[in-house]
mmCIF file of all heavy atoms in Angstrom:
data_model
loop_
_atom_site.group_PDB
_atom_site.id
_atom_site.type_symbol
_atom_site.label_atom_id
_atom_site.label_comp_id
_atom_site.label_asym_id
_atom_site.label_seq_id
_atom_site.Cartn_x
_atom_site.Cartn_y
_atom_site.Cartn_z
ATOM 1 N N LYS A 28 -45.272 44.458 185.516
ATOM 2 C CA LYS A 28 -44.306 43.378 185.321
ATOM 3 C C LYS A 28 -44.329 42.464 186.552
ATOM 4 O O LYS A 28 -44.402 42.948 187.681
ATOM 5 C CB LYS A 28 -42.905 43.975 185.188
ATOM 6 C CG LYS A 28 -42.369 43.967 183.760
ATOM 7 C CD LYS A 28 -40.949 44.511 183.743
ATOM 8 C CE LYS A 28 -39.979 43.793 182.860
ATOM 9 N NZ LYS A 28 -40.354 43.263 181.601
ATOM 10 N N THR A 45 -27.892 25.945 189.469
ATOM 11 C CA THR A 45 -27.709 25.961 190.927
ATOM 12 C C THR A 45 -28.590 27.044 191.561
ATOM 13 O O THR A 45 -29.096 27.934 190.872
ATOM 14 C CB THR A 45 -26.242 26.260 191.289
ATOM 15 O OG1 THR A 45 -25.938 27.578 190.794
ATOM 16 C CG2 THR A 45 -25.296 25.234 190.677
ATOM 17 N N GLN A 52 -29.844 35.167 188.304
ATOM 18 C CA GLN A 52 -30.733 35.453 187.171
ATOM 19 C C GLN A 52 -31.930 36.301 187.623
ATOM 20 O O GLN A 52 -32.310 37.257 186.956
ATOM 21 C CB GLN A 52 -31.221 34.133 186.563
ATOM 22 C CG GLN A 52 -32.211 34.273 185.427
ATOM 23 C CD GLN A 52 -31.558 34.711 184.121
ATOM 24 O OE1 GLN A 52 -30.326 34.700 183.998
ATOM 25 N NE2 GLN A 52 -32.365 35.120 183.153
ATOM 26 N N LYS A 118 -38.831 23.618 209.083
ATOM 27 C CA LYS A 118 -37.553 24.037 208.499
ATOM 28 C C LYS A 118 -37.746 25.094 207.403
ATOM 29 O O LYS A 118 -36.774 25.599 206.859
ATOM 30 C CB LYS A 118 -36.845 22.823 207.884
ATOM 31 C CG LYS A 118 -36.382 21.791 208.903
ATOM 32 C CD LYS A 118 -35.739 20.628 208.158
ATOM 33 C CE LYS A 118 -35.205 19.594 209.139
ATOM 34 N NZ LYS A 118 -34.789 18.366 208.437
ATOM 35 N N ALA A 203 -68.377 17.125 183.773
ATOM 36 C CA ALA A 203 -67.959 16.219 184.854
ATOM 37 C C ALA A 203 -66.539 16.550 185.319
ATOM 38 O O ALA A 203 -66.240 16.517 186.514
ATOM 39 C CB ALA A 203 -68.033 14.769 184.375
ATOM 40 N N SER A 232 -42.985 22.155 178.228
ATOM 41 C CA SER A 232 -43.592 21.065 177.451
ATOM 42 C C SER A 232 -44.708 21.552 176.534
ATOM 43 O O SER A 232 -45.681 20.840 176.298
ATOM 44 C CB SER A 232 -44.096 19.973 178.402
ATOM 45 O OG SER A 232 -45.083 20.495 179.266
ATOM 46 N N ILE A 240 -56.528 25.687 183.979
ATOM 47 C CA ILE A 240 -57.215 26.208 182.799
ATOM 48 C C ILE A 240 -58.175 27.317 183.221
ATOM 49 O O ILE A 240 -58.590 27.389 184.382
ATOM 50 C CB ILE A 240 -57.988 25.096 182.042
ATOM 51 C CG1 ILE A 240 -58.985 24.369 182.971
ATOM 52 C CG2 ILE A 240 -57.041 24.122 181.389
ATOM 53 C CD1 ILE A 240 -59.906 23.398 182.245
ATOM 54 N N TRP A 247 -62.169 29.831 190.730
ATOM 55 C CA TRP A 247 -61.377 30.187 191.928
ATOM 56 C C TRP A 247 -61.585 31.664 192.277
ATOM 57 O O TRP A 247 -61.721 32.038 193.437
ATOM 58 C CB TRP A 247 -59.898 29.884 191.659
ATOM 59 C CG TRP A 247 -58.997 30.100 192.845
ATOM 60 C CD1 TRP A 247 -58.111 31.120 193.017
ATOM 61 C CD2 TRP A 247 -58.887 29.270 194.018
ATOM 62 N NE1 TRP A 247 -57.454 30.970 194.213
ATOM 63 C CE2 TRP A 247 -57.912 29.846 194.849
ATOM 64 C CE3 TRP A 247 -59.512 28.094 194.437
ATOM 65 C CZ2 TRP A 247 -57.546 29.301 196.082
ATOM 66 C CZ3 TRP A 247 -59.145 27.539 195.665
ATOM 67 C CH2 TRP A 247 -58.178 28.141 196.469
ATOM 68 N N HIS A 264 -32.879 30.516 182.534
ATOM 69 C CA HIS A 264 -33.366 31.402 181.465
ATOM 70 C C HIS A 264 -34.900 31.354 181.326
ATOM 71 O O HIS A 264 -35.478 32.143 180.581
ATOM 72 C CB HIS A 264 -32.671 31.091 180.129
ATOM 73 C CG HIS A 264 -33.133 29.829 179.484
ATOM 74 N ND1 HIS A 264 -32.581 28.600 179.776
ATOM 75 C CD2 HIS A 264 -34.113 29.596 178.580
ATOM 76 C CE1 HIS A 264 -33.204 27.662 179.071
ATOM 77 N NE2 HIS A 264 -34.132 28.243 178.333
ATOM 78 N N ALA A 280 -59.718 36.008 183.914
ATOM 79 C CA ALA A 280 -60.441 35.177 184.887
ATOM 80 C C ALA A 280 -61.165 36.037 185.922
ATOM 81 O O ALA A 280 -61.834 35.508 186.810
ATOM 82 C CB ALA A 280 -59.467 34.235 185.588
ATOM 83 N N ASP A 283 -58.277 41.486 189.614
ATOM 84 C CA ASP A 283 -57.722 42.823 189.415
ATOM 85 C C ASP A 283 -56.415 42.990 190.194
ATOM 86 O O ASP A 283 -55.777 44.025 190.148
ATOM 87 C CB ASP A 283 -58.731 43.920 189.796
ATOM 88 C CG ASP A 283 -59.124 43.863 191.269
ATOM 89 O OD1 ASP A 283 -58.536 43.063 192.024
ATOM 90 O OD2 ASP A 283 -60.022 44.634 191.667
ATOM 91 N N LEU A 300 -53.065 44.531 189.101
ATOM 92 C CA LEU A 300 -52.780 44.080 187.732
ATOM 93 C C LEU A 300 -52.968 45.216 186.730
ATOM 94 O O LEU A 300 -53.780 46.091 186.942
ATOM 95 C CB LEU A 300 -53.721 42.929 187.372
ATOM 96 C CG LEU A 300 -53.400 41.583 188.036
ATOM 97 C CD1 LEU A 300 -54.532 40.607 187.806
ATOM 98 C CD2 LEU A 300 -52.088 41.013 187.512
#
Side-chain angles (χ1 to χ4, degrees):
K28 255 183 139 37
T45 63
Q52 177 75 12
K118 293 178 178 170
S232 61
I240 56 172
W247 185 253
H264 74 273
D283 62 6
L300 286 170

